[in-house]
Amino acid sequence: MSLTRVLIVNRSYPSAGLELLKGNSRIQATVLPYEDYEPQSLKEIKQSVKGVDGLIWNTRYRLTGEILDIAGPQLKAISSTSSGLDHIDLEEVKKRNIRLGNTPGVLNDAVADIAVGVMIAAARRFKEGIRNLESGEWKYGVTWTLGQDIVGSTVGIVGLGGIGQAIVRRLKGFDVARFIYSGRSEKPEAKTLNVERVPQEQLLRESDYVILACPLTNETRNMINCTALRTMKKTAVLVNIGRGELIDQEALFEALREQCIFAAGLDVVTPEPLPKEHKLLSLPNCFIIPHMGSATVNTRNAMAQIAANNILLALDGQPMQFPIN
Ligand code: NAP
């Protein structure tokens, strides 16, 4: 009996997931040891994908029709080790009738922690503080240190999904005055969480904190543009844990430089990695971390296990743990 081949295109795929795959004697699992950000990596991925039955994919490279064609018609199941799916050509996957899954839910808490982290860091001027401290310019009695409060604020969540709801649950302890959200549909959980649904324009106008927690789609790309930034309060803080392309970064740079808004706290940017010369990094009121949302040991282990289960179940003809419709 020939073995079922599963390729893992995720260099940092935790052993917790690999063990699950290797525990099945009918599966031959291979982790591709490609180098991140090297031009030959995509070539290496294309060479290795030929003839595989299952594929575990991460967000570094786009999964295109070309790669699916190279893989071949025997490819039956794909799982991304992510909640977002903007790096996958969904139409091409659907056209070929390949089962697709992702790993949502288990990362909600870790990403929500990071959202609150960058929110406080931006609102309370951590970047300027650290720069002052490390350059030996720490002085008492200076007013530049004054930031924005969370207590009594209005927090607006764009996308009240799993992560958005986990952010609200955390911020309940901060004595926020009002939570609002915008999104395509009414969320039943909003009632229990006491979050009011408003149009996006109203959310931008009334929020002290605007937190982006929605997927990147054709509809949401550049949703935070010059007009949106000018609608926001001058004292507002923008937080993005969704995807970098939700924001028009040129417009954000100008808005932060001209102090049209108070600050931004970003876990995600475009491109990733952001070159160290990038002008956003020069701004004192732009606090950026390198896409660390789901980066905890337990969360990444859980994501790897779900991705492995998605593949094992699909190859066994059963529904995936987290299928994409
Ligand atoms: P989710 O549970 O599917 O929630 C996404 C929410 O966004 C849904 O409530 C959805 O509402 C809403 N939404 C969709 N289109 C919208 C629009 N045009 N305007 C406003 N809201 C919209 O997904 P999740 O797990 O919370 O993840 C959300 C996103 O976070 C992912 O897609 C991914 O890009 C990003 N993410 C980042 C990290 C990180 O490390 N920073 C980690 C995981 C995920 P409807 O149901 O009404 O469409």
Side-chain angles (χ1 to χ4, degrees):
M1 187 185 67
S2 65
L3 289 170
T4 305
R5 289 177 56 202
V6 176
L7 182 71
I8 300 148
V9 183
N10 182 345
R11 223 159 53 96
S12 55
Y13 186 70
S15 57
L18 198 57
E19 278 160 19
L20 276 182
L21 292 165
K22 292 202 162 161
N24 184 318
S25 57
R26 288 179 294 128
I27 302 274
Q28 183 191 53
T30 313
V31 181
L32 194 60
Y34 69 93
E35 283 303 319
D36 273 347
Y37 321 125
E38 291 295 328
Q40 73 270 19
S41 295
L42 204 52
K43 198 168 145 203
E44 197 183 335
I45 291 170
K46 287 177 184 171
Q47 278 163 359
S48 312
V49 83
K50 276 181 202 148
V52 301
D53 305 280
L55 193 54
I56 292 182
W57 197 263
N58 77 358
T59 55
R60 173 71 187 97
Y61 292 102
R62 187 157 177 79
L63 184 51
T64 59
E66 185 203 354
I67 293 174
L68 297 174
D69 279 342
I70 297 171
Q74 77 301 321
L75 178 58
K76 287 177 213 63
I78 302 168
S79 180
S80 180
T81 39
S82 65
S83 170
L85 292 163
D86 46 284
H87 58 294
I88 294 181
D89 194 326
L90 300 176
E91 274 307 308
E92 294 292 332
V93 173
K94 195 171 159 196
K95 231 163 61 185
R96 290 166 179 77
N97 243 335
I98 303 170
R99 308 264 299 276
L100 176 65
N102 66 343
T103 64
V106 288
L107 41 68
N108 292 350
D109 290 326
V111 184
D113 289 349
I114 283 290
V116 175
V118 295
M119 175 180 175
I120 296 174
R124 301 298 299 275
R125 310 178 82 139
F126 279 17
K127 185 167 174 183
E128 289 148 285
I130 290 167
R131 278 183 176 177
N132 263 257
L133 174 66
E134 292 184 350
S135 64
E137 289 165 38
W138 179 6
K139 293 189 186 77
Y140 279 110
V142 284
T143 50
W144 70 258
T145 52
L146 303 182
Q148 304 296 332
D149 278 309
I150 298 179
V151 61
S153 68
T154 294
V155 172
I157 313 273
V158 179
L160 192 68
I163 297 172
Q165 290 169 34
I167 294 171
V168 173
R169 284 198 298 274
R170 276 156 181 70
L171 290 177
K172 288 275 176 193
F174 283 73
D175 297 328
V176 167
R178 184 177 172 225
F179 287 104
I180 53 182
Y181 79 101
S182 63
R184 295 185 306 176
S185 60
E186 200 71 50
K187 295 285 150 195
E189 300 86 352
K191 208 172 165 157
T192 329
L193 288 169
N194 198 15
V195 192
E196 181 196 346
R197 183 162 172 239
V198 297
Q200 186 170 301
E201 204 266 344
Q202 184 184 345
L203 180 143
L204 294 172
R205 203 165 4 93
E206 294 182 2
S207 296
D208 298 296
Y209 294 90
V210 172
I211 304 183
L212 308 181
C214 64
L216 173 66
T217 61
N218 288 338
E219 191 192 345
T220 61
R221 181 169 285 105
N222 284 338
M223 64 167 20
I224 302 299
N225 54 20
C226 189
T227 314
L229 288 158
R230 288 187 190 278
T231 307
M232 288 168 66
K233 294 183 182 183
K234 267 188 166 296
T235 49
V237 173
L238 174 68
V239 170
N240 189 8
I241 57 82
R243 288 285 181 262
E245 285 173 70
L246 297 174
I247 298 178
D248 173 346
Q249 286 184 178
E250 199 57 46
L252 178 63
F253 176 79
E254 290 306 329
L256 288 170
R257 197 169 56 117
E258 292 168 16
Q259 295 178 346
C260 288
I261 64 169
F262 184 76
L266 314 173
D267 180 44
V268 286
V269 283
T270 317
E272 292 183 2
L274 196 67
K276 71 176 176 23
E277 308 73 30
H278 196 282
K279 59 185 183 181
L280 273 185
L281 288 169
S282 68
L283 293 169
N285 54 351
C286 191
F287 183 86
I288 307 179
I289 55 169
H291 201 151
M292 296 163 83
S294 67
T296 72
V297 176
N298 286 346
T299 301
R300 287 285 167 84
N301 281 345
M303 290 164 72
Q305 284 170 331
I306 293 172
N309 279 332
N310 279 342
I311 294 293
L312 289 170
L313 288 164
L315 292 178
D316 200 32
Q318 298 180 57
M320 285 185 170
Q321 194 175 342
F322 286 100
I324 302 301
N325 293 337

